Amino acid sequence: MPLTVSMTVNGKAVSKDIEPRTLLVQFLRENLGLTGTHVGCDTSQCGACVVHIDGKSVKSCTMFATQAEGGEVTTIEGLAAKDGTLHPMQAAFREHHGLQCGFCTPGMVMSSVDLLKNNPSPTEKEVREWLEGNICRCTGYHNIVKAVLSAADEMRGVARAAE
Ligand code: FES
Ligand code: FES
């Protein structure tokens, strides 16, 4: 029997009737059409599905949509400013070539934004450890790490010397 689930997604209140077994990632992609959140595995390992719930990053394939009832969800579509200005993390991924095919990128960006909330000056090792739950099959991770460190500098208002 369908259940009604209500939450705020990217600042907008949404309410839908869904099957109780609907995963949050399915809800976002299939019920709301927010396909920037990707599904890259069925084992909760790849991190392509990471979104924020109440400001914390979560793998949206690991929970039912009903578990986000009443929550504030942010997806990659909600990260840029309303006028389209990219979030500093998105801009840094672009500038430092932190993506190739882009499949892992939404999850990488959302995880990295959460990292900097808790640790605004991470070391390279801390960035690598934090992103252990996000798999990239293309980049070899170096440029992703560079992008996160650069975004951290940018967000702290520090200019990183050209490397
Ligand atoms: Fe969620 Fe891979 S799709 S971890
Ligand atoms: Fe292709 Fe990461 S850029 S999987």
Side-chain angles (χ1 to χ4, degrees):
M1 198 157 73
L3 277 180
T4 304
V5 67
S6 304
M7 63 188 80
T8 303
V9 179
N10 299 334
K12 267 213 301 226
V14 296
S15 192
K16 299 270 181 198
D17 292 335
I18 57 167
E19 290 297 321
R21 65 183 173 177
T22 305
L23 296 173
L24 179 59
V25 68
Q26 291 176 302
F27 178 71
L28 294 169
R29 289 177 57 84
E30 294 166 25
N31 294 83
L32 303 183
L34 295 171
T35 53
T37 302
H38 292 163
V39 179
C41 71
D42 54 12
T43 50
S44 306
Q45 281 180 322
C46 76
C49 62
V50 171
V51 299
H52 294 176
I53 301 184
D54 298 329
K56 290 202 167 65
S57 55
V58 296
K59 289 180 173 176
S60 60
C61 73
T62 62
M63 59 186 286
F64 295 114
T66 51
Q67 292 174 287
E69 172 70 28
E72 295 264 351
V73 178
T74 307
T75 69
I76 191 72
E77 289 91 344
L79 205 57
K82 290 221 170 8
D83 67 357
T85 305
L86 293 180
H87 184 283
M89 188 63 73
Q90 293 172 303
F93 267 67
R94 183 166 73 176
E95 190 184 330
H96 294 276
H97 308 289
L99 62 147
Q100 286 180 25
C101 80
F103 195 85
C104 70
T105 312
M108 287 285 181
V109 167
M110 297 308 281
S111 293
S112 302
V113 169
D114 189 21
L115 166 66
L116 297 192
K117 260 192 226 153
N118 300 308
N119 180 0
S121 306
T123 62
E124 178 176 339
K125 185 167 177 280
E126 286 169 334
V127 173
R128 288 182 183 278
E129 280 172 4
W130 181 265
L131 293 178
E132 266 176 9
N134 292 76
I135 294 172
C136 177
R137 291 173 175 81
C138 304
T139 64
Y141 300 95
H142 295 300
N143 287 352
I144 290 174
V145 174
K146 237 192 245 179
V148 177
L149 292 171
S150 168
D153 286 351
E154 177 72 25
M155 290 165 75
R156 294 194 325 269
V158 178
R160 176 167 280 260
E163 291 165 27

